[in-house]
């Protein structure tokens, strides 16, 4: 692929979560041991070095995405180390010319992390909401207030993130068309740039 000189797209999977959401089918490690992020980031640095040895260093990264799990599970020092490693190994685009996105769990977001991500060059965030009904949230073990979600969106916009996407799921336990309509009405009031709406898949 080096002969083509095409730009690169990078995906980083951060598998850790403090809490298990009962609808989740992602590859994940549920733990409260945030120190586990440190050796994981070290292994990512090693993997980048191994991969970079085969890639032309003049090929810029025009797409970058952090998924999970919960990418913001990483403590700020581990996140800083990871971002420094990416910059060391790959050619990043300046001035918001790339599409650099990260999935955010508002319940796992240290103060200053959004600023750190924005300063690095992230310009898109995807926030998990799923549903705003408290009974539905309890049923799927994902309790997250509207105010918390709105606060993260407000901070992201203040920092200059150019796209805010919200994740919703329809067909959740205890959810009704009427209750989901109320969720939609509240979510639209936040004026997201994008909605990702998934159907619920039951996991044994």
């Amino acid at each position: 692929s080096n002969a083509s000189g095409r730009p690169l797209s990078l995906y980083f999977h951060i598998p850790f979560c403090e809490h298990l959401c009962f609808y989740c089918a992602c590859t994940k490690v549920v733990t409260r041991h945030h120190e586990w992020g440190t050796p994981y980031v070290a292994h990512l640095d090693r993997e980048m070095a191994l991969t970079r040895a085969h890639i032309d260093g003049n090929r810029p990264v025009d797409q970058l995405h952090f998924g999970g799990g919960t990418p913001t599970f990483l403590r700020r020092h581990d996140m800083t180390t990871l971002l420094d490693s990416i910059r060391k190994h790959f050619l990043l685009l300046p001035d918001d010319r790339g599409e650099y996105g990260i999935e955010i769990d508002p319940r796992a977001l240290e103060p200053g992390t959004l600023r750190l991500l924005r300063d690095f060059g992230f310009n898109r965030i995807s926030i998990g909401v799923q549903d705003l009904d408290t009974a539905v949230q309890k049923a799927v073990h994902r309790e997250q207030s509207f105010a918390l979600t709105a606060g993260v969106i407000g901070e992201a916009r203040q920092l200059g993130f150019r796209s805010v996407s919200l994740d919703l799921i329809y067909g959740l336990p205890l959810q009704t068309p009427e209750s989901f309509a109320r969720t939609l009405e509240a979510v639209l009031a936040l004026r997201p740039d994008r909605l990702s709406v998934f159907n619920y898949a039951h996991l044994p």
Side-chain angles (χ1 to χ4, degrees):
S1 64
N2 284 326
S4 70
R6 283 166 34 187
L8 301 174
S9 297
L10 302 180
Y11 173 73
F12 291 81
H13 191 77
I14 313 299
F16 306 108
C17 295
E18 279 197 7
H19 309 281
L20 175 64
C21 300
F22 293 161
Y23 52 80
C24 182
C26 300
T27 300
K28 58 193 171 294
V29 176
V30 180
T31 180
R32 291 178 182 264
H33 290 280
H34 288 266
E35 68 274 14
W36 289 6
T38 302
Y40 188 79
V41 166
H43 282 292
L44 285 177
D45 179 71
R46 182 182 179 195
E47 183 175 356
M48 279 186 270
L50 291 169
T51 303
R52 174 63 179 78
H54 302 283
I55 295 176
D56 183 350
N58 292 318
R59 297 172 65 183
V61 176
D62 68 354
Q63 291 183 319
L64 171 68
H65 189 75
F66 280 20
T70 305
T72 50
F73 176 94
L74 295 178
R75 292 306 189 202
R76 282 186 61 191
H77 65 273
D78 288 323
M79 182 67 79
T80 299
T81 299
L82 175 56
L83 298 178
D84 288 344
S85 292
I86 296 171
R87 197 180 296 279
K88 176 179 68 176
H89 292 295
F90 295 99
L91 177 61
L92 300 174
L93 292 173
D95 305 323
D96 266 355
R97 285 163 46 203
E99 185 175 288
Y100 297 170
I102 183 169
E103 298 171 14
I104 299 287
D105 182 343
R107 304 169 305 164
L109 188 62
E110 283 186 296
T113 296
L114 276 184
R115 165 64 71 180
L116 172 68
L117 295 168
R118 187 69 188 99
D119 288 345
F120 174 81
F122 281 95
N123 47 41
R124 307 175 69 92
I125 62 171
S126 176
I127 301 175
V129 175
Q130 320 319 339
D131 195 291
L132 292 173
D133 186 274
T134 54
V136 175
Q137 289 184 352
K138 289 179 181 178
V140 297
H141 203 227
R142 175 66 184 243
E143 297 182 56
Q144 177 180 315
S145 71
F146 177 82
L148 180 60
T149 301
V152 172
I153 292 174
E155 183 183 0
R157 289 193 169 129
Q158 186 177 24
L159 290 170
F161 283 85
R162 69 185 185 206
S163 178
V164 174
S165 176
L166 302 182
D167 294 346
L168 301 174
I169 297 178
Y170 63 89
L172 289 170
L174 304 185
Q175 195 182 65
T176 66
E178 293 75 21
S179 70
F180 194 55
R182 290 191 293 271
T183 287
L184 286 173
E185 184 177 357
V187 161
L188 290 174
L190 296 173
R191 300 185 63 82
D193 301 286
R194 181 181 299 179
L195 291 177
S196 296
V197 186
F198 306 91
N199 63 303
Y200 172 67
H202 184 69
L203 302 174

